[in-house]
Amino acid sequence: MINTKNYKDYFSNNIIPYLKITLDYSVYTSRKFDFVVGAYLSYDFALKYNDKSKGNNLVNNPIENISSVDIGLQIGTKIIPMN
């Protein structure tokens, strides 16, 4: 288990780059509200793990990389301001 207090001992940096594609569609319902329906696809790039057994060199071993792919649906409301 990774001790989060010593995060930099395990990973080369603390920024996780990601790529996210989102599609949204607004459904008109009334003068005050709209419903929003959407979908997204997201990918978090792998963090490079510090291998302490090799003198803290960065390794790019697929087993030791942490990355993820997310697919999801989202629903919401849009409140239209009154003029």
Side-chain angles (χ1 to χ4, degrees):
M1 182 111 168
I2 295 175
N3 183 357
T4 57
K5 292 180 182 177
N6 297 326
Y7 183 79
K8 290 189 177 188
D9 291 344
Y10 296 97
F11 298 104
S12 62
N13 62 20
N14 58 359
I15 297 172
I16 302 173
Y18 69 94
L19 178 67
K20 185 173 184 179
I21 298 170
T22 305
L23 298 172
D24 290 324
Y25 181 73
S26 293
V27 179
Y28 177 76
T29 56
S30 71
R31 299 176 103 186
K32 295 181 182 180
F33 296 100
D34 285 345
F35 285 110
V36 180
V37 180
Y40 66 89
L41 174 67
S42 177
Y43 176 73
D44 295 328
F45 293 94
L47 291 173
K48 290 186 180 177
Y49 186 75
N50 288 330
D51 188 3
K52 290 186 176 188
S53 66
K54 297 180 182 178
N56 266 349
N57 292 331
L58 297 179
V59 294
N60 197 6
N61 187 345
I63 295 171
E64 295 174 341
N65 281 339
I66 300 171
S67 61
S68 67
V69 175
D70 303 318
I71 300 172
L73 298 173
Q74 51 195 20
I75 59 171
T77 58
K78 186 188 299 185
I79 301 172
I80 301 170
M82 300 299 287
N83 289 334

